[in-house]
Amino acid sequence: MKYKRILLKLSGESLMGNDNYGINYQTVYHFASEIKSAVEMGVQVGVVIGGGNIFRGVQGASKGFDRRQGDQMGMLATIINAMAVQAVLEELDVKAKVFSAEEIEGVSEKISWRKSVETLEAGYVAILGGGTGNPFFTTDSGAALRAVEIKADLLLKGTRV
């Protein structure tokens, strides 16, 4: 096996499929199936997802929202997307756990590199939502940060932006 641990970064827009907004189930199912294939090959998979299919902070700022608050809204959108990917992975009998830069009781645990690595080593897909937890940083920056934190051998970026 070439890679023991990877981090896959998906844009929120990639979850839309051919739709103009939101989450396209068939598209998420396709991504989840591909992730399952990697897991079945013994690869530990971490996933970071953007939120632009629901809300993009910088665009909110251009419409009058405070940029900081707009980015926080975008971070919440990433958690919604993380939950969607988790749900479909679990339908495919792939264990998955959502972590977030901000804990949301009953939905996600606060990101910790130790817990993320333990989760990966236990055979779960670790879905890392909420970006970096700070405004003004893209989820691409969050993906790079999380890849370093979990000591990923490879960072893959599947985005439309």
Side-chain angles (χ1 to χ4, degrees), residues 47-119:
V47 181
V48 168
I49 307 173
N53 57 319
I54 299 170
F55 192 88
R56 184 177 293 285
V58 70
Q59 290 173 342
S62 71
K63 295 177 182 176
F65 286 98
D66 176 83
R67 172 65 191 270
R68 293 163 296 197
Q69 191 169 26
D71 282 353
Q72 289 172 326
M73 294 163 68
M75 286 182 250
L76 291 172
T78 72
I79 297 165
I80 292 168
N81 288 337
M83 293 170 65
V85 171
Q86 178 190 35
V88 178
L89 282 168
E90 290 176 346
E91 284 178 27
L92 295 172
D93 295 320
V94 177
K95 298 180 293 187
K97 187 168 187 177
V98 175
F99 292 92
S100 172
E102 297 296 327
E103 181 179 10
I104 301 174
E105 192 173 333
V107 172
S108 68
E109 205 173 304
K110 186 161 176 70
I111 287 178
S112 145
W113 67 265
R114 281 189 172 96
K115 287 181 184 177
S116 299
V117 169
E118 288 170 1
T119 296

Side-chain angles (χ1 to χ4, degrees), residues 12 51 157:
K157 185 174 183 238

